[in-house]
Every structure is written in C-alpha cells, then in structure tokens.
Amino acid sequence: MAINYNAKDEVDGGHGSNLVMGGHSGTGNAIGGGGPKSRRPDNTAFKQQRLPAWQPILTAGTVLPAFFVVGLIFIPIGIGVFVTSNNIREFEGHVFMYYGLSNFYQNHRRYVKSRDDSQLNGDITALRNPSKECEPYRRDEDIPIAPCGAIANSMFNDTLELFQMNGTTPIPIALHKKGIAWWTDKNVKFRNPPGENLTETFAGTAKPRNWPKPVYMLDKDEENNGFINEDFIVWMRTAALPTFRKLYRLIERKNGLHPTLPVGQYLLKITYNYPVHTFDGRKRMILSTISWMGGKNPFLGIAYITVGSICFLFGVVLLVIHHKYGNRNNSADIPN
C-alpha cells in the first residue's frame, strides 16, 4: 500500500489535500472526510515571538558607573559591619553561652533528610509509624523511635555549668535554658502529640539509641519537655558549615550598674557525655554578647569589603582601558 501526501496543502491550512490509496496514479478518497489538522502556531504576539523586548547595550558609559556605585556602597557597609562585629565583647552585656563543634558535617544530604517533620509536629500517626527517611534510626526492634532520624540520634548532650569563684567557694551562675530557640520553631514547627501526660503519650515508643533517657524526660518543666525542649529544637536546626556554634544558655543581666560577669575567676564544670574523637572533632564553649547584627562574626563585613573593593578595582581598570583605547576605535578610518 502506498500513500501519496501533499505537504503543501497542510501548510496552507489543510484544504484540498490529496491522499491516494494504492499504487495507481490519480486521486483517491480523502481519509476521515477532511484534510489533516494544521500544526502552524496561532497568529498571536506570544506564539509568533513578537512581544516587545528590551536588550540593554553595554557601553563604557553604563558599565563603569555601575562598578563604582557598587564599590562605593559595599565598602562603607562592610567597614560598618566589620567594626560592629569587632566591638562585640565576647565575655560581657546580656551574655549568651554557646557550645561549638568542629569537623561535624550537619549539612550532609542524608543527615539533613533523616528526620520526620510530621512526627516532630505532634502527628500521632507519624509518632507510631515514622517516615522511612529516618532509616536506620526509624525503629528499635520493631518499636518506633521518637524522635526518629540521625539528627535527633546525634543530639549534643554535654552539661555545662559556670561558677564564679569567691575565694575558694564556687558560686553558681544562673543559666537560663528557655528562650534560646527561635519562636517559630518553638510554637509552630515543634509540638508534642496530644495528651495530658507525656509519659502516656509516648508510651509504646523507643528513645533514640544514643540517648540516655527518653524524650519525655528531657526536662521536669512540662513547657520545656518532649519535642518542645529548646535544647532539642536548637540542635535540630542543622548548621551549614562543619564548624559551628549553637546557643546553649542565656545569662541575664541583673541591672545596668554592674556587668553580667564581673572581673574575677570563674570555674567551668563540664559533664562529658558527647564523644568527638571518632570524627576528629573538637568542642568549645563561647561566652558572647550580641548586637543589632547578632553575635560576633566578621565574615559578612569582610565579604562586603572584598566585593566592593573588587568592583571598584575593575571600574578603575576598565576606565583606564576605555580612556586609552576608546578614542582610537572611534576615530579609525573606514576603508572604501
């Protein structure tokens, strides 16, 4: 069987196309009672690519001012941020106590995904049947783990206590463990499952394998227990870099006449529970005040200064090149 097809008729709208059946020359009967459907796009500005467009023409008059403007804006901002960061005194004000870890990669893809946000939000179904993303920390001998996942399983659990020495007598400093987590985390993302008694609510679940006690025994204060424990919430907000610090406690300033931590000798007592030698890590404790831009961190100021300086340098180089070669190109003779 041979089919002769007149493609020109399709381009013209599909009228009068000739479809011939068989091996004879001549005109046969049209199949389907009409010509084939046209594939030509609709005659609209969008489909025919006639929409208005703006294509900037990059010239020395437009590029050079942009480099100088970026440089003049970024360099002062960077200097301001850098000076502000350096003026933060890391041992006086409202004082924030942080713990720091090094060589701990919380940004690993499998580690970041190893959690069940529905379970952490108090979903009773997810509590009994955790997400498969939590494997291999999903179940313990067929008992669901709460909270499940590698992030929760590796929670930092050293205990830090700070004392001021009065002669040979250590005086404990009040360390506040509430108010260290983000408000949205505490009140939106993390919730306990419904129930009046957390022990009964979490009955039938297992604690994470590396935890010494279950999640409903993290604190005696019911407003800081279970999934809404602020130490737990802070840990679950994963860090982007392998060296990081997380807020541990708040030392409140009592009045404006005396510093929060007066000059003197202090004793830091650490209950060592969290091993770091297996991943060649290091632990540290930081005392710091904060400013309008947060804690002490010179990176942002240095980044602004670097970008601004590079833009300003490029602007100078391009200005010299344009001044030296621009007029020569404009005055070049055009051959006949």
Side-chain angles (χ1 to χ4, degrees):
M1 178 186 294
I3 300 177
N4 296 333
Y5 178 74
N6 190 340
K8 179 177 182 300
D9 293 328
E10 180 185 358
V11 176
D12 292 337
H15 301 289
S17 59
N18 295 326
L19 296 178
V20 181
M21 304 294 294
H24 304 284
S25 61
T27 303
N29 295 327
I31 299 177
K37 185 178 179 180
S38 173
R39 296 184 179 180
R40 175 187 292 178
D42 296 336
N43 188 21
T44 62
F46 178 77
K47 292 187 176 181
Q48 296 296 335
Q49 300 185 11
R50 295 196 301 266
L51 291 175
W54 175 69
Q55 183 176 359
I57 299 176
L58 300 180
T59 63
T62 58
V63 174
L64 291 177
F67 276 112
F68 286 116
V69 168
V70 171
L72 292 175
I73 293 176
F74 274 43
I75 291 176
I77 293 177
I79 293 174
V81 172
F82 183 77
V83 171
T84 302
S85 176
N86 283 347
N87 287 338
I88 296 175
R89 304 171 65 185
E90 291 211 329
F91 42 86
E92 300 287 348
H94 257 353
V95 176
F96 297 83
M97 177 186 282
Y98 299 85
Y99 63 86
L101 290 175
S102 299
N103 205 36
F104 192 108
Y105 288 83
Q106 276 199 313
N107 59 352
H108 191 281
R109 182 182 63 84
R110 288 190 62 187
Y111 182 88
V112 171
K113 293 176 61 179
S114 186
R115 60 189 292 165
D116 188 342
D117 288 319
S118 296
Q119 186 191 63
L120 299 175
N121 197 244
D123 188 300
I124 195 67
T125 303
L127 180 68
R128 306 299 176 188
N129 186 25
S131 169
K132 293 182 180 179
E133 296 287 354
C134 290
E135 294 288 2
Y137 304 102
R138 181 174 177 239
R139 293 183 178 274
D140 186 4
E141 296 182 355
D142 206 35
I143 300 175
I145 295 177
C148 71
I151 306 177
N153 187 68
S154 60
M155 178 181 169
F156 183 83
N157 62 347
D158 278 3
T159 301
L160 308 178
E161 299 174 89
L162 189 63
F163 301 86
Q164 184 180 11
M165 299 303 295
N166 184 9
T168 58
T169 304
I171 302 174
I173 295 176
L175 303 177
H176 298 274
K177 55 189 172 183
K178 296 177 68 174
I180 61 174
W182 290 22
W183 186 92
T184 51
D185 288 349
K186 175 78 172 181
N187 297 279
V188 179
K189 294 181 64 176
F190 291 79
R191 295 178 183 175
N192 283 323
E196 297 181 358
N197 189 298
L198 288 182
T199 304
E200 296 177 357
T201 300
F202 286 98
T205 64
K207 67 177 181 63
R209 297 170 189 172
N210 288 350
W211 285 24
K213 53 189 175 182
V215 67
Y216 53 85
M217 296 180 62
L218 291 178
D219 200 309
K220 296 179 180 179
D221 185 355
E222 290 298 316
E223 295 183 356
N224 192 43
N225 201 10
F227 290 157
I228 60 173
N229 177 266
E230 297 200 25
D231 284 330
F232 172 67
I233 293 173
V234 169
W235 178 257
M236 294 299 292
R237 180 170 284 276
T238 54
L241 300 174
T243 299
F244 58 86
R245 63 174 69 176
K246 290 180 182 285
L247 186 57
Y248 180 71
R249 294 292 182 263
L250 170 64
I251 306 174
E252 290 186 346
R253 189 172 187 177
K254 296 180 180 179
N255 56 61
L257 300 177
H258 302 284
T260 308
L261 296 177
V263 177
Q265 291 185 337
Y266 292 86
L267 171 67
L268 176 64
K269 181 180 178 182
I270 303 174
T271 304
Y272 191 100
N273 298 315
Y274 199 79
V276 295
H277 63 277
T278 55
F279 54 90
D280 296 327
R282 297 185 64 186
K283 294 187 287 189
R284 64 192 187 279
M285 188 274 285
I286 305 102
L287 296 176
S288 175
T289 57
I290 62 172
S291 70
W292 58 270
M293 56 169 287
K296 187 170 185 177
N297 186 2
F299 173 79
L300 185 61
I302 294 174
Y304 268 102
I305 294 174
T306 301
V307 173
S309 300
I310 291 174
C311 289
F312 197 85
L313 178 62
F314 278 175
V316 173
V317 172
L318 293 177
L319 180 62
V320 172
I321 294 174
H322 175 68
H323 180 74
K324 186 174 182 179
Y325 298 104
N327 294 333
R328 180 184 302 177
N329 294 335
N330 293 335
S331 60
D333 293 334
I334 300 176
N336 294 328

